[in-house]
Amino acid sequence: MKTNIIKAFAFLYMCLQVGVVNAQKISLNEAIQKGLENRLELKSQALNIEIANQENEKVKARWLPQVSANADVRWNTQLQTTVLPFALPGSSESQTTVQLGRPFNNTFALQAEQKVYDANKKVDKQVNATQVEVQKNTLEQQKINIRQAITEAYYSAVFNKEKLKLSETALQRATAYLEAAQVKFEQGAILKNDLDKFSLDVSNAKLTHTKNQQDYELSLVSLQYQLNTNDKIEPAEDLTSVFSYSQVIENQLNTDKRTELKVEEFNLQLNELNAQKQKVKNLPTISAYGNYSFFQLAQTFNPFASGTWFPANYIGIRANIPIFDGKQAKLSTQDYVIRQKINQYNIERLKNDFNYESKSTWNTLQQSKLNLEEAKKNIKLAQQILETDKFRFEKGVIVVSDLKNSEYSLQNAENQYLSSIYNFLVASVRYKKASGNL
């Protein structure tokens, strides 16, 4: 009978594992790498960095010669009349009326302009370079958040996988107790009520096992979502193996490298540069220009008529010197100076927040470690007590309620042990993030 029950449990476990039977086993490091490769927000942010890099190319392009050509074909259907304030020789009039030009007036011109000096160029390049670093920092911040999310999802999957194994063991144990109780009942050693209690334990163990299976499958779905993949996956590691390489060392603080702090530092730089940009607005801009043109004046429309095209060209230097802008640049500069002070205050506040967060998460981690060590002791003690009480029950020294209490104590100790490992792992990843080491 015992062999048949074991086979039945093996079949039941295989049926419950249908959802992950063909799943790819993956380690934590592999999961993080896969997630960083697949997450769409990282791909979008990489494009934002590419756009930011192109801004300096635009600044350079503005300093290339600006060349334009234009052509104008004109038919003066009525020539303009001009009055000269004198009379022509032999005329009795006091003025002379004349019409200037020709009916057909065609023009072809080539215009070129080159910037020579603009103080905004240097500042614009610095602003663009800072914007590139801002986008890179945003990408790194997204990676850190994704690493944390994937790690915690992986821990949750491993935790639920371990819970599933424990509930399977508990179900087998409850069934074995029921089998032994059945023999004792047949021998008249226990009452029917005692046998029913063992049957109830088996039923409850089945429900717990089914719930743990559902929790495990949901945690796999969550992990799959974090990796942005449709492939079936499951963790290749257990809590003990993950725990072995998840230790952290105190005082390895890199809070100055926190991406949130860098955001405020970059904002400070941008406000400094924007203040400079407002100041250079009052500096002159200088550019050189040139023009080469051909004009045709003809009585009839004939662009190819000889002797009707006349060249004209010129070169020059243009200076644009701002004199008074209504104090707009000065007022804007003052705004950016005030914003710099706000950035400095925010930097100090963030440093204080991160120092507090690192200390707080470290204390939580240490408490989790103490809880884990205590849980280890409890589970060993509960196993010893259960083995002793099982022997005593078989010898008729204790009643079934005493054995069941020992069984419950072991189950609680096992669950507490798993929870302690899981809490320690979550606390460790959060401490790594808080200390700037994730």
Side-chain angles (χ1 to χ4, degrees):
M1 180 177 179
K2 185 176 181 179
T3 302
N4 292 334
I5 292 176
I6 293 175
K7 289 181 179 180
F9 281 129
F11 177 75
L12 174 62
Y13 182 72
M14 290 177 62
C15 291
L16 291 173
Q17 293 293 323
V18 170
V20 294
V21 68
N22 294 321
Q24 173 190 1
K25 292 186 180 297
I26 188 170
S27 67
L28 175 58
N29 290 333
E30 290 171 341
I32 293 174
Q33 184 61 34
K34 190 178 184 68
L36 294 178
E37 291 173 356
N38 291 347
R39 292 290 287 263
L40 297 179
E41 57 266 46
L42 297 184
K43 296 179 181 180
S44 297
Q45 186 57 30
L47 294 177
N48 287 332
I49 295 176
E50 185 177 343
I51 292 173
N53 277 318
Q54 291 177 354
E55 289 301 315
N56 269 337
E57 296 301 320
K58 293 179 181 179
V59 173
K60 293 178 182 179
R62 288 197 292 268
W63 279 77
L64 294 176
Q66 306 296 307
V67 182
S68 62
N70 63 80
D72 183 13
V73 178
R74 182 184 301 176
W75 177 24
N76 297 316
T77 56
Q78 183 176 354
L79 295 178
Q80 180 179 351
T81 300
T82 299
V83 178
L84 302 177
F86 56 83
L88 294 176
S91 174
S92 60
E93 301 291 335
S94 61
Q95 61 184 16
T96 304
T97 301
V98 296
Q99 287 185 322
L100 302 178
R102 289 289 185 268
F104 291 93
N105 186 353
N106 302 323
T107 304
F108 176 79
L110 189 66
Q111 177 80 22
E113 186 170 345
Q114 173 65 57
K115 279 190 175 183
V116 177
Y117 174 77
D118 187 349
N120 283 287
K121 178 182 179 181
K122 181 180 179 181
V123 181
D124 285 341
K125 292 180 68 175
Q126 291 175 335
V127 169
N128 293 339
T130 305
Q131 290 288 5
V132 171
E133 295 304 315
V134 169
Q135 296 298 334
K136 289 181 179 179
N137 185 68
T138 300
L139 178 63
E140 185 58 32
Q141 190 171 13
Q142 289 178 344
K143 286 182 177 180
I144 291 173
N145 292 335
I146 288 173
R147 279 197 289 267
Q148 180 184 8
I150 292 175
T151 302
E152 293 190 8
Y154 190 89
Y155 288 163
S156 178
V158 174
F159 173 60
N160 286 316
K161 183 179 181 180
E162 294 291 326
K163 282 179 60 180
L164 182 62
K165 290 180 180 179
L166 276 185
S167 63
E168 180 190 2
T169 302
L171 180 57
Q172 292 175 350
R173 194 160 49 215
T175 304
Y177 292 156
L178 175 60
E179 181 181 356
Q182 182 69 37
V183 173
K184 287 184 173 292
F185 175 73
E186 293 173 354
Q187 293 174 349
I190 62 174
L191 301 175
K192 179 65 168 61
N193 186 60
D194 295 329
L195 180 62
D196 290 340
K197 291 180 180 179
F198 282 106
S199 297
L200 180 60
D201 289 342
V202 171
S203 179
N204 289 332
K206 287 180 180 179
L207 289 175
T208 301
H209 189 60
T210 301
K211 182 182 182 302
N212 289 341
Q213 176 65 30
Q214 293 172 344
D215 291 343
Y216 179 47
E217 291 175 354
L218 287 175
S219 64
L220 293 182
V221 171
S222 177
L223 179 60
Q224 191 178 25
Y225 168 75
Q226 291 296 338
L227 302 187
N228 190 32
T229 179
N230 293 322
D231 299 334
K232 292 182 178 180
I233 54 174
E234 65 171 322
E237 302 165 288
D238 56 25
L239 284 177
T240 303
S241 61
V242 174
F243 175 78
S244 65
Y245 62 77
S246 299
Q247 305 297 318
V248 294
I249 302 176
E250 188 181 14
N251 297 326
Q252 286 187 344
L253 299 180
N254 290 307
T255 52
D256 290 342
K257 296 181 180 179
R258 288 280 297 262
T259 53
E260 299 91 335
L261 187 62
K262 288 185 177 181
V263 168
E264 205 61 41
E265 291 173 348
F266 284 133
N267 287 336
L268 175 61
Q269 293 179 26
L270 287 173
N271 284 325
E272 290 173 348
L273 291 171
N274 284 325
Q276 293 179 27
K277 194 170 183 178
Q278 294 300 320
K279 292 178 180 179
V280 300
K281 278 186 175 181
N282 291 324
L283 297 179
T285 58
I286 301 174
S287 58
Y289 61 91
N291 181 281
Y292 191 86
S293 304
F294 273 99
F295 299 93
Q296 184 193 35
L297 301 174
Q299 187 67 30
T300 60
F301 179 74
N302 184 3
F304 305 103
S306 61
T308 59
W309 285 94
F310 307 96
N313 55 79
Y314 57 85
I315 58 174
I317 295 179
R318 181 185 298 112
N320 183 12
I321 305 174
I323 296 177
F324 181 69
D325 66 349
K327 300 196 298 183
Q328 295 183 36
K330 181 180 179 180
L331 294 173
S332 297
T333 302
Q334 292 175 351
D335 287 344
Y336 287 118
V337 170
I338 294 174
R339 291 176 184 178
Q340 291 173 44
K341 293 181 181 179
I342 294 174
N343 295 141
Q344 291 169 349
Y345 291 144
N346 288 339
I347 288 173
E348 290 301 316
R349 177 183 58 81
L350 287 173
K351 287 182 178 180
N352 293 334
D353 290 346
F354 295 155
N355 287 333
Y356 168 76
E357 185 182 357
S358 61
K359 292 178 181 178
S360 177
T361 53
W362 174 255
N363 291 335
T364 301
L365 179 63
Q366 290 302 103
Q367 186 61 50
S368 300
K369 190 174 183 179
L370 292 175
N371 294 340
L372 177 59
E373 292 173 353
E374 192 66 25
K376 285 181 181 179
K377 297 177 184 178
N378 291 341
I379 196 171
K380 290 180 180 179
L381 181 60
Q383 288 172 344
Q384 294 174 0
I385 292 174
L386 179 61
E387 290 301 319
T388 301
D389 285 351
K390 183 179 179 182
F391 175 79
R392 295 172 67 195
F393 175 73
E394 291 174 351
K395 298 300 182 181
V397 178
I398 61 174
V399 296
V400 65
S401 60
D402 296 327
L403 179 62
K404 287 169 61 65
N405 289 336
S406 299
E407 169 70 15
Y408 292 147
S409 297
L410 176 59
Q411 290 180 4
N412 290 334
E414 290 172 336
N415 289 325
Q416 187 62 41
Y417 176 68
L418 284 182
S419 297
S420 298
I421 294 182
Y422 174 70
N423 291 335
F424 174 83
L425 292 175
V426 172
S428 66
V429 72
R430 293 179 180 177
Y431 172 72
K432 289 178 181 178
K433 181 181 180 182
S435 60
N437 294 302
L438 185 60

